[in-house]
Amino acid sequence: MSDELVYIGSIPDAVSVTDVGLEFRKDIEYDQWLTLMATLQQLSTAFQFAIGDALNYGQKRYGEKYAQAMDATGCAYQSLANWSWVASNVPIDNRVAGLSWTHHRLVAHIGTAEQKAILESAKSRGVPVTEFEKELKGEQEEEKKPLKQINIPDGWTVDDINKALEIISSTPLPLADVYEAGLTKLSEEDTKVQRYCSECPYNN
């Protein structure tokens, strides 16, 4: 388990946590306020994991899960299911304090042996959720490519174009071959011709 975990005890004694918010019984110092803000942010993530862990424990220990938990928490089924799934797929020893629950959700499908290293890397680099998701998907920003223009042979009517498009959508025949065949002269056997490179395993 990470030594960086922030416990509820780091909330100043002058502050009480109630079921509807915080009560400041007296003023606190600036550094205490900063600690409080950091703790509350961590509690947001801890809450989702805590509910997920409790659900999984209840399922294992009592055979009880969503129906009873919905009554006890007032949370929607889908939220409970998501928290349970992430908690069961990201072991507590792999969780990294300082990252959001969503960061952890994004690695829940990855093998547990890799999760912590990936999460710690994201934390050390300060990677936000949106960028983290792109990294995991292997997506990179690409420059927009200009649209490829298709030259329409002279003399073609709209009907000719539509017929050609219909043919090439169901056959690998190049557009030039469709044109050369005179459109109406294409037989059923013509449209079955497969054109592959010499190394393609489907080349007959």
Side-chain angles (χ1 to χ4, degrees):
M1 187 181 303
S2 172
D3 293 331
E4 299 178 52
L5 291 178
V6 178
Y7 296 94
I8 294 178
S10 60
I11 293 179
D13 292 336
V15 180
S16 296
V17 180
T18 74
D19 56 354
V20 292
L22 298 180
E23 289 184 356
F24 291 82
R25 297 192 302 277
K26 62 180 181 180
D27 290 338
I28 60 176
E29 300 297 327
Y30 179 71
D31 60 341
Q32 291 179 304
W33 176 78
L34 289 178
T35 299
L36 172 64
M37 295 302 295
T39 300
L40 293 175
Q41 188 280 327
Q42 299 252 343
L43 285 175
S44 173
T45 296
F47 163 78
Q48 293 165 307
F49 272 125
I51 294 291
D53 289 333
L55 280 167
N56 295 334
Y57 173 82
Q59 172 69 12
K60 182 179 179 180
R61 180 69 175 82
Y62 312 112
E64 304 287 354
K65 205 163 189 180
Y66 299 120
Q68 294 77 11
M70 288 172 66
D71 292 338
T73 65
C75 296
Y77 170 86
Q78 191 58 56
S79 295
L80 296 173
N82 290 342
W83 297 334
S84 171
W85 182 77
V86 174
S88 64
N89 284 279
V90 184
I92 193 167
D93 288 339
N94 283 0
R95 301 171 193 172
V96 176
L99 288 180
S100 71
W101 178 86
T102 305
H103 281 87
H104 292 81
R105 176 180 63 79
L106 291 172
V107 301
H109 67 287
I110 298 174
T112 55
E114 305 172 60
Q115 290 173 349
K116 190 164 188 176
I118 294 172
L119 290 168
E120 287 180 336
S121 173
K123 180 182 178 181
S124 66
R125 294 179 292 119
V127 181
V129 167
T130 52
E131 294 301 319
F132 189 50
E133 185 171 16
K134 288 180 181 179
E135 285 186 5
L136 293 177
K137 288 182 177 179
E139 296 178 352
Q140 295 182 346
E141 293 290 338
E142 295 184 359
E143 294 183 2
K144 291 184 178 180
K145 297 180 180 179
L147 293 175
K148 183 178 180 180
Q149 294 185 350
I150 300 176
N151 294 323
I152 304 299
D154 293 336
W156 276 34
T157 66
V158 173
D159 288 340
D160 292 337
I161 296 170
N162 288 335
K163 187 170 183 179
L165 291 174
E166 181 180 352
I167 293 172
I168 63 177
S169 67
S170 59
T171 175
L173 282 175
L175 182 61
D177 287 6
V178 175
Y179 178 63
E180 291 171 3
L183 295 174
T184 57
K185 297 178 182 179
L186 282 173
S187 67
E188 184 176 348
E189 288 302 314
D190 290 328
T191 61
K192 291 181 180 179
V193 174
Q194 302 293 313
R195 297 175 182 270
Y196 302 105
C197 67
S198 58
E199 299 179 357
C200 181
Y202 299 102
N203 190 17
N204 298 320

